[in-house]
Amino acid sequence: MISFNFKIIAVGKIKDLNLNNKIEEYLKRLSHDTKTDIIEIKDSNPLSEGLKIQEILKKENSFSIALTEEGKTYGSIDFSRYLAAIPGKITFVIGGPFGLSEQVKNTCRQRLSLSPMTFTHEMARLLLLEQLYRAVSIQNNRSYHKE
Amino acid sequence: MISFNFKIIAVGKIKDLNLNNKIEEYLKRLSHDTKTDIIEIKDSNPLSEGLKIQEILKKENSFSIALTEEGKTYGSIDFSRYLAAIPGKITFVIGGPFGLSEQVKNTCRQRLSLSPMTFTHEMARLLLLEQLYRAVSIQNNRSYHKE
């Protein structure tokens, strides 16, 4: 069984109770075989948020991926293969309502787009977690992706 | 103000309470200036589901769009312009866990993909409604898309 180590740096709290419940559900599902930590940055503006994010990224020895609309898109199977090929910890960075600063995008090793469409940053966190759970399921041949 | 008339034909019920609440929230938001009906088809298999969908589509005098992963992708602003350019009612068709039959895809005027990634059909319904609300907001210059 392939095991992953994910960290998510995200700006702002999830204020929507329903989205928060779904996010918690996927975190719980992931916890069975994957370490997934979330660090929340207080939302202010992309520049100050970015400074805090970069401080955290500096301390991490991990492969960092910024979520931005202009990033690379993947199908779910390709995404699972892509993640499986990265050795060690993978850190995803999700901005707040105003997105990520250019500095953060440039600091990250890769830019990822979940969809060419814009979704709220709260929904982006749920979409990412669902895709991470799906990726782990695909790699470990669980039925989730075949449902 | 631009007004839209949407219909969504979807296979299966939304069993997840949290996703259902979010879907209801976007339906309520849309209801202020857009007629949006949802018709749910009982889930069985793509072929029998497809026959029921085609029956409904035949009776409709509307522009039909099938949601499939291999469909065309849009950014949110382009999507809103695309919808605004369609005269009359627009019907979206969302399959169940096993997707839509080829017959339904061929009957529809257009194929749309919300993302190259696979999401659950329950999440697809939420994503579509969020994008419809966003599209209406963009066309009517509401603050939602700028948040």
Side-chain angles (χ1 to χ4, degrees):
Chain A
M1 204 171 68
I2 300 175
S3 137
F4 291 89
N5 188 347
F6 298 134
K7 175 168 268 180
I8 296 167
I9 305 174
V11 174
K13 289 198 178 307
I14 303 292
K15 289 169 193 151
D16 185 277
L17 184 67
N18 292 298
L19 291 179
N20 199 52
N21 287 343
K22 284 303 286 178
I23 287 167
E24 291 295 330
E25 179 196 319
Y26 280 105
L27 279 171
K28 200 177 163 191
R29 283 180 180 224
L30 276 164
S31 71
H32 295 301
D33 48 21
T34 298
K35 187 167 152 52
T36 314
D37 296 324
I38 296 192
I39 298 184
E40 278 185 355
I41 303 290
K42 201 178 169 326
D43 53 343
S44 46
N45 60 69
L47 209 67
S48 353
E49 291 158 9
L51 294 173
K52 286 182 201 159
I53 293 167
Q54 279 175 293
E55 249 178 64
I56 299 167
L57 287 175
K58 260 188 217 164
K59 286 182 209 156
E60 297 277 335
N61 182 17
S62 68
F63 189 95
S64 53
I65 301 175
L67 269 76
T68 83
E69 275 163 51
E70 78 275 13
K72 191 166 154 47
T73 55
Y74 292 89
S76 295
I77 292 175
D78 284 346
F79 184 57
S80 81
R81 288 179 185 144
Y82 166 72
L83 295 180
I86 298 170
K89 192 194 263 189
I90 306 172
T91 301
F92 298 91
V93 187
I94 308 176
F98 301 103
L100 292 171
S101 69
E102 281 307 310
Q103 290 89 327
V104 169
K105 291 184 198 172
N106 291 333
T107 303
C108 287
R109 296 271 292 273
Q110 186 82 47
R111 296 177 191 206
L112 168 72
S113 165
L114 298 172
S115 164
M117 288 173 160
T118 307
F119 292 100
T120 65
H121 71 108
E122 299 200 352
M123 274 171 78
R125 196 185 308 185
L126 171 58
L127 296 184
L128 175 64
L129 281 164
E130 202 268 347
Q131 284 306 301
L132 295 183
Y133 181 68
R134 192 176 288 272
V136 176
S137 300
I138 291 166
Q139 288 300 313
N140 290 328
N141 207 22
R142 274 201 303 250
S143 63
Y144 182 81
H145 185 62
K146 299 163 200 157
E147 271 165 20
Chain B
M1 205 171 69
I2 298 175
S3 137
F4 291 88
N5 188 348
F6 298 135
K7 174 166 269 178
I8 296 167
I9 304 174
V11 174
K13 289 198 178 306
I14 304 293
K15 289 168 192 151
D16 185 276
L17 184 68
N18 292 298
L19 290 180
N20 199 51
N21 287 344
K22 283 303 285 179
I23 286 168
E24 292 294 329
E25 178 196 320
Y26 280 106
L27 279 172
K28 200 177 164 191
R29 282 179 182 226
L30 276 164
S31 71
H32 295 301
D33 49 21
T34 298
K35 186 167 153 48
T36 314
D37 296 323
I38 296 191
I39 297 183
E40 278 183 356
I41 302 291
K42 202 179 169 324
D43 53 344
S44 47
N45 60 70
L47 210 66
S48 352
E49 291 158 9
L51 294 174
K52 285 181 204 160
I53 293 167
Q54 280 175 294
E55 249 177 66
I56 299 167
L57 288 175
K58 259 187 219 165
K59 286 182 209 157
E60 297 277 335
N61 182 18
S62 67
F63 189 95
S64 52
I65 301 176
L67 269 77
T68 83
E69 275 163 49
E70 77 276 13
K72 189 166 156 46
T73 56
Y74 293 88
S76 295
I77 292 174
D78 283 345
F79 184 58
S80 80
R81 286 180 187 144
Y82 166 71
L83 295 180
I86 298 170
K89 192 194 263 188
I90 307 172
T91 301
F92 298 91
V93 187
I94 308 175
F98 302 103
L100 292 171
S101 69
E102 281 306 311
Q103 289 89 326
V104 169
K105 290 183 199 172
N106 291 334
T107 303
C108 287
R109 297 270 293 271
Q110 186 82 47
R111 296 177 191 206
L112 167 72
S113 166
L114 298 172
S115 164
M117 289 173 159
T118 307
F119 292 101
T120 65
H121 70 108
E122 299 200 352
M123 274 171 79
R125 198 185 307 185
L126 171 58
L127 297 184
L128 174 65
L129 281 164
E130 202 269 346
Q131 283 307 300
L132 294 183
Y133 181 67
R134 190 176 290 272
V136 176
S137 301
I138 292 166
Q139 288 300 312
N140 289 329
N141 206 23
R142 273 202 302 251
S143 63
Y144 183 80
H145 185 63
K146 300 162 201 159
E147 270 165 20

